[in-house]
Amino acid sequence: MPERDPEAKALFQLTREMELLISAALVFALLQLPAALDDWFAANSLHVGGVSFFTVFVVYYVGKLVAYGLIVAISAHFLLRGFWVAIMSLRSVYPGGVDREKLEQGEIYRKFYDERLMTLNELEDRVDRMAASIFAFVFLFLLLFLMLIVCALAAMVLALIVAKVTGDDSYIGPVVIGSFVLYLVLQSYVALVDKISKTKPLAPKVEGSAMRLMRWMYYPTFNFLYAPVFFTFSTNTSRRRMTALLIAFLYSMIAVFMFSIFLARGIIGFDSYSYYPSQAREAQLRAVHYDSLRAEGTAATAPSIQSDVVEGPYVRLFIPYNAREDNERMRALCPGVKPVRADGMFVAPRGTLAKERVDEIAACFERIYTIELDGRRIEKPGFLFYRHPEGRIAGRLALLPASSLVAGRHLLIVRPAPLPDRKKDARDDAAYIPFWR
């Protein structure tokens, strides 16, 4: 490594110190991002269904992958840069490094470390290069995901246009898949033509078509940003190793994401509650079902009442409108009821919906859930359309009379109506809400 003049060396050290401070701030900020994305998805996933839900999920999924990737990479950079500072400090105190003459070593240790032991200068240089490369690698990773997001969004926009023109949502899936297949075919065609050009001349039309495809895809796929970074890495290291590292990093982040999902849902964990059931139905009190017990600011994403102890004359029951599930139930159980507006993006005229249409939709809402109080089914809960203030979740609100209930424990069960064309699921999707008077 060539020696720097004092001014350049001071600037170099200042830059690395700034990197260390930036990394520390980024690690602290990024650690908050996965939880914020979880809250955002929990609050927004109920609002949308169909392709719109897929859009929200893609944003959430990619956001979590990018967040975990950044956390891992920036944390590694922070540790490496801190180690680099430690090496520099050690070298300033002991500029001679290791004094091999003072080491009492046998023949095995001596021969091994003669081949492998790095000087402090060599170690400092290697750690510095690794730390500096991580920032570029992180942005290479982000550009790769950005390219995938742009392709996915373009395919979904095309699918929605086709669905709107044809009036048939069944085209959405094939159009999205077909768009990705077409993109892969075009990329493979350019790669094949390039490979052939290494061994023999190309026909002008073939070369021209490949060049046009490259020009068309150069900016939309962010190749103009991705290529300089990737080629720098691949020409200064093994290209195969670089590709393998990117793929390994990608799958590692997917594994971390899935682990976080399983951990949040209680599928995996680490504790000693050997005799404690995770789901106990009516024998369990879950904070998500009570406005008074949920954490402040947490969206009302499950059926809920005002409190575990009801003191007033009514039980205030709120059932959120899960667009993904409830739209399907409405179509299956009330095929004659037309939707108020299209799924996803819409432009709705101002004005109040006709009373007949409101009553028709409200009557269907009465059918898609069954309500039981202490084993007795409530046939006409009298639901009103309502947006819960926590998370602005749309749903139905019913005030169930509670004055006649005796003092003690009571059980409210909210059970979604089964779909006629769906096989019976072993899971119990009912919400069990015990409360006391």
Side-chain angles (χ1 to χ4, degrees):
M1 185 177 179
E3 288 292 327
R4 299 181 178 88
D5 60 74
E7 185 176 347
K9 187 174 182 179
L11 180 61
F12 172 79
Q13 292 182 354
L14 180 62
T15 303
R16 295 303 189 254
E17 290 170 2
M18 287 297 295
E19 278 187 21
L20 190 61
L21 291 174
I22 292 172
S23 293
L26 282 175
V27 168
F28 177 78
L30 288 170
L31 285 174
Q32 323 301 318
L33 188 55
L37 284 169
D38 287 337
D39 293 341
W40 176 83
F41 181 71
N44 289 276
S45 59
L46 288 183
H47 293 299
V48 290
V51 179
S52 303
F53 174 81
F54 180 70
T55 305
V56 171
F57 180 76
V58 166
V59 172
Y60 169 68
Y61 182 78
V62 173
K64 285 290 287 275
L65 289 181
V66 170
Y68 283 126
L70 286 173
I71 288 171
V72 171
I74 301 299
S75 298
H77 177 272
F78 177 72
L79 293 173
L80 283 172
R81 190 55 70 195
F83 184 44
W84 179 81
V85 171
I87 296 169
M88 285 185 56
S89 302
L90 184 64
R91 190 164 60 84
S92 66
V93 177
Y94 303 106
V98 179
D99 189 347
R100 296 294 302 279
E101 299 298 327
K102 293 183 179 181
L103 290 176
E104 297 180 1
Q105 294 178 335
E107 193 65 16
I108 300 299
Y109 280 173
R110 186 185 62 78
K111 286 184 177 181
F112 180 82
Y113 285 118
D114 281 346
E115 297 176 0
R116 302 293 182 91
L117 188 65
M118 289 185 291
T119 65
L120 288 178
N121 283 336
E122 291 171 338
L123 182 60
E124 178 189 332
D125 181 43
R126 181 169 295 187
V127 172
D128 180 45
R129 280 183 291 139
M130 289 177 62
S133 298
I134 283 178
F135 266 137
F137 182 81
V138 169
F139 282 100
L140 188 65
F141 173 74
L142 291 179
L143 288 170
L144 180 63
F145 268 104
L146 193 59
M147 178 183 69
L148 293 175
I149 291 174
V150 169
C151 292
L153 290 177
M156 288 164 60
V157 168
L158 179 61
L160 287 174
I161 292 173
V162 172
K164 294 292 184 184
V165 171
T166 61
D168 189 353
D169 290 346
S170 63
Y171 287 107
I172 291 176
V175 170
V176 171
I177 295 172
S179 300
F180 275 101
V181 170
L182 177 62
Y183 173 75
L184 291 175
V185 168
L186 294 177
Q187 288 279 23
S188 300
Y189 171 74
V190 173
L192 179 63
V193 170
D194 181 67
K195 187 175 183 179
I196 294 173
S197 69
K198 296 179 182 179
T199 57
K200 60 181 181 181
L202 296 172
K205 288 186 177 180
V206 174
E207 182 179 353
S209 64
M211 288 296 293
R212 281 194 297 273
L213 286 174
M214 286 291 291
R215 292 191 191 99
W216 290 342
M217 293 186 291
Y218 188 61
Y219 290 103
T221 60
F222 296 92
N223 195 21
F224 67 104
L225 297 175
Y226 178 85
V229 180
F230 180 78
F231 290 152
T232 299
F233 276 121
S234 62
T235 54
N236 287 278
T237 60
S238 168
R239 183 169 183 173
R240 182 176 299 176
R241 183 185 301 173
M242 187 64 203
T243 303
L245 185 61
L246 270 174
I247 294 173
F249 190 70
L250 172 62
Y251 280 103
S252 298
M253 293 308 101
I254 293 175
V256 170
F257 172 77
M258 296 307 299
F259 178 81
S260 71
I261 294 294
F262 293 154
L263 187 64
R265 294 186 177 181
I267 299 174
I268 58 176
F270 182 78
D271 59 41
S272 298
Y273 298 136
S274 304
Y275 295 95
Y276 190 89
S278 59
Q279 298 291 336
R281 299 184 180 179
E282 65 270 16
Q284 184 177 26
L285 190 146
R286 301 178 61 200
V288 69
H289 294 313
Y290 308 93
D291 293 344
S292 62
L293 298 183
R294 275 197 312 272
E296 186 178 355
T298 303
T301 57
S304 60
I305 61 176
Q306 66 267 41
S307 176
D308 55 326
V309 178
V310 175
E311 297 179 347
Y314 294 100
V315 177
R316 186 184 177 91
L317 173 62
F318 172 74
I319 302 178
Y321 178 9
N322 186 329
R324 186 161 53 100
E325 296 286 341
D326 290 354
N327 283 352
E328 187 177 358
R329 292 190 184 98
M330 294 282 283
R331 286 191 293 266
L333 300 176
C334 308
V337 177
K338 295 181 180 180
V340 176
R341 55 176 178 257
D343 181 24
M345 294 294 294
F346 65 90
V347 177
R350 295 181 62 85
T352 304
L353 198 63
K355 183 179 183 304
E356 293 76 12
R357 291 279 286 127
V358 173
D359 292 342
E360 183 184 43
I361 294 170
C364 187
F365 272 132
E366 298 277 358
R367 297 181 57 189
I368 64 175
Y369 283 88
T370 60
I371 314 298
E372 294 180 12
L373 179 57
D374 293 336
R376 179 178 57 87
R377 179 168 176 173
I378 301 176
E379 296 294 342
K380 296 291 183 179
F383 283 115
L384 296 174
F385 295 100
Y386 176 73
R387 279 190 180 269
H388 201 285
E390 295 291 354
R392 298 292 297 161
I393 301 294
R396 285 85 72 205
L397 177 70
L399 298 181
L400 308 178
S403 300
S404 61
L405 297 179
V406 299
R409 176 179 162 180
H410 300 272
L411 179 64
L412 185 65
I413 302 176
V414 180
R415 183 175 283 111
L419 293 173
D421 58 345
R422 182 182 294 181
K423 292 182 180 180
K424 187 173 178 58
D425 198 333
R427 296 175 302 174
D428 187 357
D429 293 332
Y432 295 86
I433 311 175
F435 66 92
W436 286 259
R437 283 287 290 169

